Amino acid sequence: MPLSTWLLFCSVALLATFSPGPGVLLAISNSVAVGPRHTVFSSLGNGVGLFIVSGAATAGMGALLAVSASAFLAVKLVGAGYLVYLGIRQWRSAPMRLDATVRPGQPHTPGKLFLQGLGVAVTNPKAILFFTALFPQFLTPGPGLFTQTLLLTATFTALALVSHACYVGLFRSLRRVLTAPRHLRLFNRVSGGLFVLLGLSLLKLRNRAA
C-alpha cells in the first residue's frame, strides 16, 4: 500500500474517531464511574470489537446489510436497544467517587468493562457500514488484500484508542468540578441521556435496501 494512501486513510480515520460517538461517550462515563486508569478495559474491548466489525464487513456482512433490509433492521434494533439500555442504567446509577477502584464483586469489573466496550462496537451498524464503505476506497485487490485490511483496521483502532485517551484526559482535568455528588449525578443524567439519544438516532439510519 502506498504511503500516500495510508496517510489519506489516517486523515479520514482521525475525523471519524475524534467525532464523539458511543465509544467515546462510554470511555468518558467509565472514567467518571471507575476512574481513568480502569477505562482502558472498556476501550480495549471497543478496539477488539472494531476488529470483529472489520472482519465481518470483509467477510461480507457489510454487503448483506447493504442489500437486505431485514438484516439491517435487526442489527440496527440490537444496536439501538443496547445503547438505550446503557443510557437508562447510567441515568439510574448512584453517584460514585472518582477515586473508586475496581474490586471483585463490584458492578464494574475489568471483564465486564471489556465486554461493555465490545458490545458497543459490535452492535453499532454505523461501524459496519463505515468499514464497508471506507475500505474499498483504500484497498488494492490482490494477494495482499488481507494485509492491507489488517493494517487499516489496526490504524483505525489505534486512532480510536488515542481519541478515547484524549477525551478521558480532558475530563480528568475537570476532576475537581465533578467531585461533588450533585455534579456526578448531573453527569450521570447527561451521559445517560446522550446514550439514549445515540441509540434512538440509530433508528433513523437508512440503508440502500430500505
Side-chain angles (χ1 to χ4, degrees):
M1 174 182 294
L3 179 60
S4 58
T5 300
W6 181 76
L7 290 176
L8 179 60
F9 175 82
C10 287
S11 63
V12 175
L14 275 172
L15 292 176
T17 55
F18 275 84
S19 299
V24 168
L25 182 56
L26 180 65
I28 292 173
S29 62
N30 281 339
S31 71
V32 174
V34 296
R37 183 176 301 177
H38 295 291
T39 304
V40 67
F41 295 113
S42 62
S43 293
L44 287 176
N46 194 264
V48 172
L50 291 176
F51 270 92
I52 294 175
V53 168
S54 175
T58 304
M61 186 175 180
L64 174 62
L65 294 180
V67 300
S68 173
S70 298
F72 181 84
L73 178 61
V75 174
K76 181 171 66 173
L77 290 176
V78 171
Y82 187 72
L83 289 178
V84 170
Y85 161 74
L86 289 179
I88 294 175
R89 191 176 68 174
Q90 182 74 16
W91 179 284
R92 298 178 60 183
S93 62
M96 298 179 64
R97 291 170 55 87
L98 290 180
D99 58 355
T101 57
V102 175
R103 296 182 184 131
Q106 286 188 337
H108 296 287
T109 61
K112 288 184 177 180
L113 288 170
F114 181 89
L115 291 177
Q116 191 180 48
L118 180 68
V120 165
V122 301
T123 59
N124 187 359
K126 284 185 176 181
I128 298 175
L129 295 178
F130 173 81
F131 276 102
T132 305
L134 180 66
F135 273 31
Q137 303 178 39
F138 294 93
L139 296 176
T140 301
L145 184 61
F146 175 78
T147 302
Q148 295 176 59
T149 302
L150 187 62
L151 173 63
L152 294 185
T153 304
T155 300
F156 187 89
T157 301
L159 292 176
L161 294 177
V162 170
S163 72
H164 291 185
C166 289
Y167 277 103
V168 168
L170 175 63
F171 272 74
R172 189 176 185 180
S173 65
L174 302 176
R175 188 184 185 94
R176 293 182 179 179
V177 178
L178 294 175
T179 298
R182 60 190 180 90
H183 292 158
L184 288 174
R185 187 177 296 107
L186 176 62
F187 176 83
N188 287 343
R189 299 290 171 83
V190 172
S191 59
L194 289 176
F195 266 121
V196 172
L197 288 177
L198 282 171
L200 295 179
S201 70
L202 292 184
L203 298 178
K204 298 180 179 180
L205 191 64
R206 294 178 176 271
N207 76 327
R208 289 171 290 180

